[in-house]
Amino acid sequence: MSIIKKSEATCSKCGRKHEMTVYRSINVSENPEYKDAVRSGSVFMWRCPECGTPNLVCYEMLYHDPDRKMMLWLLPDETLEAKASEMAAIEKAVESMGDYTLRRCADVGSLMEKLLLAEAGLDDIVMELVKWVTRREMAEKDPSMAGVPMKFYKTGDDGSGRYIVLSFPKDGAMVGCTVGWNVYEDCLSIVSGSGGKLTPGKGFALVDSDWMDMRMG
């Protein structure tokens, strides 16, 4: 069930308070019209009617896609303790719903990335390993790349084969790098053969770069 409410938000520029719509829970089988808005991040944006400034607001959201058997919970770190019992209750309820993928996202960008990966038919654990490998290779030439935050952007096919495009910040702008499909296939084999080392536990796992660093360190 989708839960949509009104909340008060403060403009980051003029400080005026205004009402905005917040989407606490979205079931895209019931409300497919919200799917693109979550993927683009527009449900987290509001424009101040006083000064026209666009504002990004990160609020708790449970995104449920029954067709993909996937739940993504946008739950910032500072709210985790307060939501522990609710999270446990949902995790228990999901056990009877079959083989679900449960993920916790700490920020809006991570939620959007998980959706893009799901729609591209890619595994988020494998993609984190692809990013880990790519950062290490790039850091050999440029040490500043060692800790750069990377996001999956898209896949493509140039006629000679498939490829993946990753995006990351550099010199004040977002730039991209292309990774061959063979890297994804190699990482898939590593994850599959890791004996559980690269498999998150039950529940809403936070699978991100830190999670992968801890396991590949």
Side-chain angles (χ1 to χ4, degrees), residues 64-171:
H64 184 193
D65 188 337
D67 294 335
R68 295 186 186 277
K69 289 193 171 183
M70 177 179 71
M71 284 189 184
L72 304 175
W73 202 340
L74 176 56
L75 201 60
D77 293 339
E78 61 269 20
T79 64
L80 187 57
E81 184 175 351
K83 291 291 180 177
S85 60
E86 184 178 350
M87 185 180 295
I90 293 176
E91 290 170 348
K92 184 175 181 180
V94 170
E95 288 181 3
S96 63
M97 297 167 65
D99 187 21
Y100 253 71
T101 296
L102 303 179
R103 294 288 187 266
R104 181 173 78 88
C105 303
D107 55 71
V108 173
S110 296
L111 174 66
M112 293 167 61
E113 182 185 38
K114 298 291 185 188
L115 292 179
L116 288 174
L117 286 169
E119 293 188 3
L122 302 176
D123 186 283
D124 65 327
I125 300 172
V126 176
M127 188 55 63
E128 287 300 336
L129 184 55
V130 169
K131 292 189 287 186
W132 185 86
V133 169
T134 302
R135 276 193 299 268
R136 285 175 66 90
E137 291 180 349
M138 295 177 73
E140 291 179 0
K141 298 179 180 179
D142 181 359
S144 68
M145 292 298 299
V148 70
M150 286 185 169
K151 294 292 185 185
F152 167 74
Y153 180 58
K154 66 177 183 178
T155 62
D157 192 327
D158 59 8
S160 61
R162 295 181 69 185
Y163 60 86
I164 292 168
V165 178
L166 303 175
S167 63
F168 56 91
K170 186 175 179 62
D171 300 328

Side-chain angles (χ1 to χ4, degrees), residues 28-69:
V28 292
S29 289
E30 298 176 358
N31 299 105
E33 67 272 19
Y34 296 136
K35 192 171 187 177
D36 287 343
V38 177
R39 183 177 54 196
S40 68
S42 62
V43 294
F44 302 103
M45 298 294 298
W46 69 280
R47 186 174 295 276
C48 178
E50 297 287 339
C51 67
T53 300
N55 292 270
L56 173 65
V57 181
C58 180
Y59 54 82
E60 176 197 342
M61 173 195 285
L62 180 63
Y63 180 95
H64 184 193
D65 188 337
D67 294 335
R68 295 186 186 277
K69 289 193 171 183

